[in-house]
Amino acid sequence: MAVENGGTDDALLSKPTDTEYAVLNRTPSAYNPLPTFDLPVGERRHYQQQYADMYFARLAQLKPAAEQIASEAWSDFEIAGETPRRVDRVLDVRQGDLCWVIGTCYMEMPLKPNVLDDIGKEHWIAAPPPRVKYTDDENDQIMLEDESGRLRLTGGMLKETILVTGAIIAVIGTENKDGEFEVLDIRVPDLPRQPPRWERDDGDAAVKGKKVSRSRPKGGKVAIVSALGISGDAGDTLPLDLLMEWLLGESTGPEDQQDAATVSRLIIAGNSLSHASPIPTRQELAHAATKKGPRKYGYDSSTWNAAPTDRLDTWLAMLLPSIPITLLPGESDPTATSLPQQPIHPAMFPHSRTYMELPGTKEVSWFDSTTNPAEFDLDGWRFLGTGGQPLDDVYKYVSGEERLEMMEAMLRWRLTAPTAPDTLWCYPFQDGDAFVMRECPHVYFVGNQPKFETTVIEGPVGQIVRLVAVPKFKDTGELVLIDMETLSAEVIKIEIFEGG
Amino acid sequence: MPRGRKAKGAAASFNAQSRLSFNNSARVTKPGTRQDDAAKKAASKLSDPAQAQIEDEVKAIETPEAEDEPEEATEVQITPEPESKKVDVAIRESPLKPKTTNPKTKKNTVPSKDERELAAEKVTDAQLRKYWRAEEDGRLAPRIHQESLSLHEKILRHFDLSSQYGPCIGIQRLQRWKRANMLGLQPPVEVLAVLLREEDKKTSQGCGKLAYIDELAGGRVVLVE
């Protein structure tokens, strides 16, 4: 194992000695998850309601924030001696009148997946490849919608802003003679209030009557990895083992081991198993359709392969005694495909189960199998993370390639999954949209991205958020480390030396 | 998918394995432990969150006074009181200010009633008639084809079709009022007064739980906790 940053090879290449090396202890991590994306269990979870409730709730929750930003921005706006007035409903705009209105953005895109196309294509053997982008510049229409109706938007301003279906926006302009609304400016609700560090832990301690401690221990680093992609083949053994050895401090020399000892928690952001989703793809259905013999719809137990989950479980069980782990499910993991994905059940982890909470209790456990998206407090900082599905879906609506810009846009819209009922499967929330961000996180990470990218964005009231796009470990071998004191991100790359 | 559903039934008949259940409440455990807990929880469900809140507030106020160090005590005293009272005060402030607390956590710590719900309990029949007359006077022409309806039904149908409180299909009228209230849209308290009267058989005028259009469209009553 060649270590690139030199210097530490001496300890590995010398004779065995009797010197006692100090035993390194891992930095502890203070972890406090939030139940934002937990769905009700059993009979209390209903699917009979329609998605219109969700759009209504989203608009009602974000309208006050958008109104505040828009009225501040446009109160002294003047064009040709005319001042704008606020209009309550989207259909109340009048021709020639300068006004502003808030509504939900709807993008009419003919290349979006359409359920009617799906039904028609079921009879074909070869499916057309899925589209990378839904955008089509000539035929796309952008509309503003609320409970009264829809209003078509035009104007050059629209091409400059990132817009997807489901974003709540405030637009100012006037209706032209074609009945379309010409947009002069667009505002979004922008970042919500950011809690100060340790706010929730201090609050909990105060409510319980404990002394609020002013001095907290220094945080270490948190490791985020994504798309381990365990498929049960022989090919995924070595990089995973190298990663495990690095995290456990079993590899490299004393200096690197000290670095590894500062890693206080591992977050696995989605797609740990490469092929475990319960919904078969179109290719599999087509293949099953051509097989002879009695047809078995749904689950076919003869094709069950226990190797991937076994491998993941033993890998986690080797890491768990030393480091706490948070596991987010992803698109190809064995949990529901609709957002918010519920935690992977403890039944999948017979060995790692001892580190999870007992069924029926609500305490925070060492091994936290959590929802996707997930919101939690780590060393006082608020983390918000997803397994990548919402960002990948927004990517399909937007004609650019800048994923960090899309992540920033999602934060400024205050929506964790803006395209949720439209092209992303989700639970039909009735009382309130759980994807509306109520508090601004300090770190926003998204897994399953093609490459590592990071930046810091600022909000209108001094919020500072670190955005991290976590690359796929299976393709790049990269692992992201975030320092808990400075919130800076760095990358550790695990590569296998091939060739001479 | 219809094909999948039919096949599942056929497969179940020649598969002898019984259905696995991950439902914790149906687990076979030692007699007297889980069932008691569940029964206790069900009995005290309403009072427990409120009780816990009161206990927390009392503890938070009492423990800083028991502190030995004076500076720590004053500092700690300031922070817990607004923290623990924040939950209560936020519920009361909702009709006056735009919402800042989230409705999701409130669902779990419910059902302490807020001002508007308490005001709805005090609404009299005369106030209902006055409200309805004001609504009718706001229109240019009277509503036709509503002669045979009771006052309660007229008020509720008007509430159903007020789209600013959200879609009326797929949700019960009372839930819809509560949802609109939680989101800060200020639905009229008279409508809640009518809905509360409808709950009681003596004052009910025969209005349904679902919106009228929903019933026509074949909606079913869904029990939401």
Side-chain angles (χ1 to χ4, degrees):
Chain A
M1 273 177 294
V3 176
E4 293 257 316
N5 42 356
T8 53
D9 278 0
D10 299 340
L12 296 174
L13 297 175
S14 52
K15 294 198 309 244
T17 60
D18 283 334
T19 49
E20 293 265 336
Y21 284 95
V23 173
L24 297 169
N25 284 322
R26 193 180 290 281
T27 324
S29 93
Y31 180 69
N32 199 352
L34 279 147
T36 327
F37 298 103
D38 286 346
L39 291 177
V41 192
E43 286 180 358
R44 293 175 50 205
R45 192 187 298 192
H46 302 289
Y47 288 90
Q48 287 177 302
Q49 57 271 27
Q50 302 206 352
Y51 288 116
D53 290 318
M54 197 168 147
Y55 276 119
F56 158 71
R58 186 186 287 184
L59 183 59
Q61 285 171 302
L62 288 177
K63 219 177 199 177
E67 210 175 309
Q68 195 189 15
I69 296 262
S71 53
E72 273 172 40
W74 296 329
S75 52
D76 49 358
F77 196 80
E78 214 184 283
I79 268 195
E82 219 182 309
T83 49
R85 62 182 182 91
R86 161 98 201 278
V87 163
D88 279 328
R89 301 185 321 157
V90 151
L91 292 184
D92 286 340
V93 299
R94 296 278 166 263
Q95 218 174 75
D97 220 6
L98 184 69
C99 53
W100 61 272
V101 67
I102 302 174
T104 314
C105 175
Y106 176 70
M107 314 267 285
E108 171 84 40
M109 290 168 154
L111 297 179
K112 254 198 298 200
N114 190 350
V115 66
L116 298 173
D117 294 340
D118 271 356
I119 294 175
K121 283 172 189 167
E122 243 175 42
H123 300 286
W124 296 6
I125 297 169
R131 295 199 165 273
V132 176
K133 297 268 191 189
Y134 301 144
T135 51
D136 176 14
D137 284 319
E138 303 92 51
N139 298 331
D140 284 348
Q141 292 177 21
I142 302 180
M143 301 185 188
L144 193 70
E145 179 178 326
D146 75 353
E147 56 259 357
S148 61
R150 278 187 190 170
L151 182 66
R152 187 149 167 223
L153 302 177
T154 49
M157 190 73 202
L158 295 175
K159 292 198 177 41
E160 294 166 29
T161 33
I162 299 182
L163 285 176
V164 297
T165 302
I168 307 293
I169 53 176
V171 291
I172 187 170
T174 180
E175 186 182 341
N176 63 15
K177 58 178 171 48
D178 293 330
E180 299 170 354
F181 193 77
E182 269 206 44
V183 173
L184 299 167
D185 194 13
I186 300 183
R187 293 283 163 177
V188 295
D190 225 319
L191 299 177
R193 175 196 164 261
Q194 191 175 58
R197 193 179 176 190
W198 299 115
E199 185 194 62
R200 224 171 119 237
D201 298 312
D202 284 350
D204 282 349
V207 164
K208 286 184 194 141
K210 296 189 201 142
K211 208 162 76 163
V212 175
S213 61
R214 292 291 150 189
S215 65
R216 296 277 185 171
K218 263 173 74 79
K221 297 187 185 179
V222 65
I224 309 183
V225 76
S226 163
L228 299 173
I230 299 177
S231 57
D233 299 337
D236 44 41
T237 312
L238 192 50
L240 278 181
D241 279 346
L242 288 176
L243 173 61
M244 179 187 72
E245 285 176 11
W246 184 81
L247 282 170
L248 291 178
E250 286 175 5
S251 64
T252 67
E255 288 170 22
D256 283 336
Q257 284 173 346
Q258 272 178 341
D259 278 344
T262 59
V263 175
S264 60
R265 180 167 275 266
L266 173 66
I267 300 176
I268 304 179
N271 284 359
S272 325
L273 296 167
S274 75
H275 190 64
S277 174
I279 312 281
T281 60
R282 192 194 299 274
Q283 275 80 5
E284 285 162 17
L285 276 178
H287 180 67
T290 56
K291 264 205 294 210
K292 307 285 194 305
R295 273 186 177 180
K296 282 188 180 177
Y297 294 99
Y299 179 56
D300 185 6
S301 56
S302 64
T303 57
W304 168 245
N305 180 9
T309 39
D310 212 27
R311 176 86 181 98
L312 176 65
D313 187 36
T314 41
W315 188 78
L316 289 173
M318 285 194 275
L319 275 175
L320 277 168
S322 164
I323 185 170
I325 298 182
T326 300
L327 177 65
L328 272 73
E331 200 177 341
S332 59
D333 279 329
T335 177
T337 44
S338 65
L339 295 186
Q341 285 179 301
Q342 294 305 289
I344 302 180
H345 200 274
M348 305 296 299
F349 306 119
H351 299 289
S352 316
R353 205 184 296 165
T354 42
Y355 295 92
M356 296 174 91
E357 74 262 13
L358 291 172
T361 59
K362 274 281 170 187
E363 48 195 47
V364 180
S365 54
W366 189 256
F367 175 32
D368 192 19
S369 174
T370 180
T371 56
N372 171 27
E375 197 175 9
F376 48 84
D377 273 346
L378 189 55
D379 288 337
W381 303 111
R382 178 68 56 91
F383 274 63
L384 175 65
T386 67
Q389 293 107 309
L391 181 62
D392 289 338
D393 210 48
V394 169
Y395 175 79
K396 292 181 188 169
Y397 276 77
V398 178
S399 47
E401 298 288 325
E402 292 294 311
R403 287 182 183 251
L404 282 181
E405 272 183 23
M406 296 174 211
M407 285 168 71
E408 182 183 351
M410 282 163 72
L411 279 177
R412 295 202 192 271
W413 292 325
R414 297 198 196 184
L415 292 171
T416 318
T419 57
D422 194 26
T423 39
L424 203 57
W425 297 354
C426 78
Y427 175 75
F429 292 105
Q430 196 169 46
D431 287 331
D433 189 2
F435 296 120
V436 170
M437 285 181 213
R438 304 180 204 289
E439 288 180 322
C440 187
H442 295 103
V443 177
Y444 179 45
F445 66 89
V446 179
N448 287 304
Q449 299 307 301
K451 59 181 166 69
F452 167 69
E453 289 174 301
T454 182
T455 184
V456 176
I457 63 168
E458 283 183 16
V461 205
Q463 300 102 322
I464 297 183
V465 189
R466 155 79 55 188
L467 305 181
V468 181
V470 184
K472 295 189 194 160
F473 184 77
K474 194 165 173 75
D475 296 336
T476 60
E478 285 175 5
L479 159 80
V480 178
L481 286 184
I482 299 185
D483 187 310
M484 284 291 100
E485 292 303 317
T486 62
L487 286 187
S488 59
E490 51 177 349
V491 160
I492 303 263
K493 193 171 165 86
I494 295 182
E495 257 183 309
I496 299 175
F497 184 64
E498 287 175 37
Chain B
M1 289 193 285
R3 277 193 293 185
R5 211 172 275 160
K6 212 162 134 202
K8 224 191 269 184
S13 64
F14 58 69
N15 218 350
Q17 186 186 25
S18 62
R19 217 156 176 201
L20 293 176
S21 156
F22 292 107
N23 187 358
N24 292 330
S25 63
R27 180 174 302 165
V28 176
T29 54
K30 281 201 185 136
T33 49
R34 292 275 166 133
Q35 276 71 7
D36 276 0
D37 282 354
K40 237 195 295 177
K41 265 194 210 148
S44 62
K45 196 164 54 162
L46 287 177
S47 57
D48 244 4
Q51 188 80 14
Q53 250 181 36
I54 298 171
E55 283 178 20
D56 283 346
E57 282 186 47
V58 167
K59 246 192 269 177
I61 297 170
E62 279 182 2
T63 40
E65 293 169 0
E67 279 292 330
D68 286 334
E69 303 136 59
E71 315 95 284
E72 281 285 311
T74 47
E75 273 186 47
V76 178
Q77 211 165 25
I78 298 171
T79 42
E81 284 176 9
E83 276 296 323
S84 54
K85 280 206 184 123
K86 199 162 80 153
V87 184
D88 233 10
V89 171
I91 298 173
R92 290 229 171 84
E93 280 180 354
S94 64
L96 306 168
K97 294 194 198 153
K99 290 283 304 168
T100 43
T101 56
N102 48 345
K104 256 291 172 157
T105 55
K106 283 229 320 229
K107 194 165 49 159
N108 297 331
T109 59
V110 173
S112 49
K113 296 192 182 160
D114 66 349
E115 262 181 20
R116 310 189 81 238
E117 298 192 17
L118 293 170
E121 287 172 13
K122 302 194 189 85
V123 168
T124 61
D125 285 340
Q127 279 177 306
L128 285 181
R129 283 194 289 272
K130 203 169 104 177
Y131 163 75
W132 189 240
R133 213 172 305 129
E135 287 290 330
E136 296 244 285
D137 288 341
R139 287 167 63 98
L140 289 175
R143 290 178 166 83
I144 50 177
H145 303 312
Q146 280 200 343
E147 295 86 2
S148 56
L149 296 177
S150 60
L151 177 66
H152 286 188
E153 182 66 24
K154 283 192 243 192
I155 293 179
L156 289 180
R157 283 197 195 184
H158 176 66
F159 175 63
D160 287 341
L161 292 177
S162 307
S163 58
Q164 67 266 36
Y165 307 122
C168 64
I169 306 256
I171 189 171
Q172 294 183 26
R173 280 165 163 164
L174 185 59
Q175 304 297 330
R176 183 165 171 254
W177 194 95
K178 291 201 170 146
R179 175 181 74 183
N181 195 29
M182 265 194 331
L183 292 171
L185 303 167
Q186 300 191 323
V189 291
E190 289 85 0
V191 175
L192 181 63
V194 170
L195 287 167
L196 293 174
R197 279 171 172 71
E198 287 297 318
E199 302 261 310
D200 189 7
K201 232 186 276 194
K202 282 178 266 172
T203 48
S204 157
Q205 291 182 7
C207 306
K209 287 211 176 302
L210 293 181
Y212 180 60
I213 339 173
D214 204 5
E215 276 176 29
L216 287 181
R220 289 179 294 278
V221 175
V222 173
L223 284 172
V224 177
E225 202 140 319

